[in-house]
Each structure stands twice: as structure tokens, then as C-alpha cells.
């Protein structure tokens, strides 16, 4: 009954009128996120070693670490909308280019550039949404946004793996990148509809660059000195290390059971279906705990225990079940952790600190990928 009531009330708070372009864009992204269930298998199928695959995948987060904070500061100074659209435009083009060659250095270069382009939207996207709600005096919808955004994304996640399974069955894995690249470009165009009230800075380019550096340093200092934000950053680093390791290994892990290629899409689709409902109950579930930090800590411990259990499984169906459980467990974390983080972030530092948080996560992902490879 609680779930049904939550779903029926999802867009009755003036939320849809403000955020519909963001929700539609997210749904399109998720519905055609075809490569997530096959990216590692695609590279292995090209003949690359496991170490080469880890290098290619590590380049993206490494470049994100280098460029994340400066691009977040640029969004704070120049505006979120332009930054986010450029990210979608560049990402879509890169996806279209990936299937054109199987050369290791060519693909490594594209994945590295892909990491840079994503930094244009990581902090800026969320800051754009949060500021839009605050400007409309709808700050009370922030928590709901994270839950609904995650649920809408997971509805798409149910569809995408099934489409991906059809593509790999009747075409080949290269088409996954082509189709997703086209839809990313469409999704970026949808975001152009969303409004942004932002005062453009018309200062000289040198002055703007100095402002960017100053904004970056100021935001990093604020985040490190803030007791709550600093703990969240450390937990993001650790959590992303664990998630990165499981995300990198699950496809090769299931492949050892000689599971049909289409099953990888089915597993992801089932996980996505179950995850639709998770964010809708996270706020109700988290209220059972006295502190948000205690809730998050228990979930992280449960995730690690589930991950460790794969070493004792020799049945392919149990293996697929564990992969689903791990995916769903992550969905219990994000809808609570992210708005908790946003409570302590000043408006003018929102994109930069969001990028700083993303940077710590990318470091964890890159470390796990390189170590495992």
C-alpha cells in the first residue's frame, strides 16, 4: 500500500512541471543504455587481454579525476546548461566512433576522452536540478527527486538490457554503441528544453580562468574541512572501490559458467525491474534508523558480505541471483546518501563539490579496475 501511494503521489507536488525534461532525458538514457551489460565482453571479444581491458576502462575514471573539479568550477561560473549539453554531445559522438576500429590505442584514446566529457555533467547536472527546485521555492522536492529519478532510470534499465540482448542475438555487439550514441544525442537535445536562471559571467578569459582555480581551491578546502562532507567523500571512495570491482568482474564471472550471451541482458533487466521499487521505499526504510550514517553503514556491510559470497557459488543460477542482489543493494544507498550530502553544500559550490565527490568515487573505481586487471 505504501508503494502504491508513493507512486500515485509521484507527480502531485508541482514536481513534473519543473523537472519533466530531466526525467524524460533520464528515461531515454536508461532505456537505451545498451552497452552496460556487454562493454567488457565486447572488448574481450575483440581479442584484448584482461589487463588491456582494465587499462581501457581505467583511463576514463583517471581522466575524470584530472578534469572533474575544473569542469565543475566552470559550470559554476558559466552555467550548468551549456556544460551538460556539451557533455551529452561529445559523449554521443564518441560512442558512434568506438565501433569503427578495434585498435587498442584508438579505443584507449576514445575512452580517455569519454572520461573528460562526462566531467562536464557529473556535478553540473545535479546542481542544475537542485538550483531549479530552489529557485521555484520547491526545496522540499529534492529528496523526492532523487528517489523518482532513480526509479525512472530503473524502468529504463529493464528495457535496455532486453533490447541489448536482441541486438547481440541478431546483429553484433558493435551496434550497441551506435544505437546508444544516437539516443544520447537525442537525450541531450531534450535537456535543452529545461530552463536555467543563471547570470552569465562576461569577464576576460584570463580572469575567468583565475576564478575557476580560485573556486576549485575554495570548494576543496570547504569539503575537506567540513566534518560531514569529508566523511561522505571517504565513504564514496571506499564504496566505489567495492562497486567498481564487482562491476568490472561480474561479466567475466558469469562467462565462466558458459551462460548464453543473451542471458547477460536478462540478468541486468531483472535487476533493473526489482530496482524500480527500491528507491520508493528507501526513505520509509531509512526512518527505522536513528541516523542516516548508521543506515548507510549497514547497507555497505551487507553489500560486501553479498559480494564475498560469490567465491562459494558453483551454480550458474545462484551466480546470476547474486549479481541481481548486488545491483539491487546499490539502489538502497544512492537515494539516501546523495540528498544527505546536498544538505551541507552551499549553492555556489554545488557543482564544484559535486564534482569533487565524483572525483573521489572515480579514484576508487580506477584503483579497483587497475588492481583487478
Amino acid at each position: 500500500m505504501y508503494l502504491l501511494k508513493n507512486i500515485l503521489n509521484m507527480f502531485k507536488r508541482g514536481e513534473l512541471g519543473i523537472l519533466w525534461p530531466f526525467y524524460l532525458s533520464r528515461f531515454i538514457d536508461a532505456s537505451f543504455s545498451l552497452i552496460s551489460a556487454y562493454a567488457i565482453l565486447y572488448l574481450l571479444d575483440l581479442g584484448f587481454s584482461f589487463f588491456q581491458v582494465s587499462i581501457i576502462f581505467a583511463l576514463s575514471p583517471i581522466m575524470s579525476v584530472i578534469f572533474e573539479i575544473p569542469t565543475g568550477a566552470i559550470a559554476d561560473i558559466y552555467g550548468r546548461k551549456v556544460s551538460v549539453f556539451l557533455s551529452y554531445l561529445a559523449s554521443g559522438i564518441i560512442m558512434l566512433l568506438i565501433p569503427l576500429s578495434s585498435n587498442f590505442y584508438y579505443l584507449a584514446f576514445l575512452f580517455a576522452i569519454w572520461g573528460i566529457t562526462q566531467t562536464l555533467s557529473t556535478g553540473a547536472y545535479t546542481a542544475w536540478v537542485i538550483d531549479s527546485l530552489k529557485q521555484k521555492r520547491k526545496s522540499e522536492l529534492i529528496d523526492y527527486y532523487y528517489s523518482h529519478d532513480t526509479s525512472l532510470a530503473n524502468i529504463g534499465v529493464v528495457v535496455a538490457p532486453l533490447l541489448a540482448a536482441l541486438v547481440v542475438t541478431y546483429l553484433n555487439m558493435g551496434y550497441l554503441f551506435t544505437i546508444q550514441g544516437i539516443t544520447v544525442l537525442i537525450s541531450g537535445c531534450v535537456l535543452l528544453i529545461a530552463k536555467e536562471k543563471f547570470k552569465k559571467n562576461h569577464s576576460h578569459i584570463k580572469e575567468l580562468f583565475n576564478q575557476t582555480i580560485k573556486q576549485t581551491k575554495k570548494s576543496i578546502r570547504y569539503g575537506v574541512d567540513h566534518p560531514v562532507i569529508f566523511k561522505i567523500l571517504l565513504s564514496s571512495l571506499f564504496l566505489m572501490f567495492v562497486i567498481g570491482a564487482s562491476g568490472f568482474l561480474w561479466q567475466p564471472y558469469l562467462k565462466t559458467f558458459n551462460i548464453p550471451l543473451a542471458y547477460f541482458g536478462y540478468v541486468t533487466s531483472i535487476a533493473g525491474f526489482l530496482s524500480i521499487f527500491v528507491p520508493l521505499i528507501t526513505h520509509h526504510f531509512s526512518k527505522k534508523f536513528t541516523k542516516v550514517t548508521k543506515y548507510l553503514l549497514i547497507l555497505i556491510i551487507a553489500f560486501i558480505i553479498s559480494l564475498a559470497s560469490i567465491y562459494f557459488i558453483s551454480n550458474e543460477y545462484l551466480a546470476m541471483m547474486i549479481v541481481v542482489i548486488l545491483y539491487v543493494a546499490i539502489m538502497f544507498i544512492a537515494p539516501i546518501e546523495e540528498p544527505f550530502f546536498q544538505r551541507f553544500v552551499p549553492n555556489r559550490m554545488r557543482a564544484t563539490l559535486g564534482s569533487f565527490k565524483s572525483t573521489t568515487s572515480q579514484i576508487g573505481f580506477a584503483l579497483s579496475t587497475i588492481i583487478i586487471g
Side-chain angles (χ1 to χ4, degrees), residues 167-231:
V167 172
V168 299
T169 300
Y170 296 103
L171 298 171
N172 62 63
M173 287 189 281
Y175 282 95
L176 298 175
F177 290 91
T178 303
I179 297 172
Q180 184 167 338
I182 294 172
T183 56
V184 166
L185 295 175
I186 294 173
S187 182
C189 291
V190 169
L191 286 174
L192 288 176
I193 302 172
K195 297 179 180 179
E196 180 193 22
K197 291 183 179 180
F198 194 87
K199 186 177 180 180
K200 304 299 179 183
N201 196 327
H202 300 288
S203 303
H204 188 272
I205 185 65
K206 183 178 180 180
E207 183 181 348
L208 291 175
F209 179 77
N210 290 333
Q211 289 179 21
T212 300
I213 299 300
K214 183 179 179 180
Q215 175 80 355
T216 299
K217 291 180 178 179
K218 183 179 179 181
S219 298
I220 292 176
R221 190 180 304 113
Y222 183 89
V224 172
D225 292 340
H226 196 288
V228 178
I229 292 179
F230 183 66
K231 290 178 182 178

Side-chain angles (χ1 to χ4, degrees), residues 7 10-11 15-16 19-32 125 144-160 272-273 275-280 327 331 335:
I7 293 173
M10 182 177 286
F11 300 123
E15 186 178 353
L16 183 60
L19 300 179
W20 75 265
F22 298 102
Y23 285 150
L24 179 57
S25 175
R26 180 71 75 200
F27 180 75
I28 294 173
D29 285 341
S31 297
F32 292 92
Y125 188 96
Y144 290 106
Y145 160 73
Y146 284 106
S147 294
H148 299 160
D149 178 71
T150 304
S151 292
L152 287 172
N154 284 320
I155 292 174
V157 170
V158 176
V159 177
F273 174 76
S275 297
I276 292 172
F277 308 102
V278 172
L280 299 178
Y327 186 99
M331 296 299 108

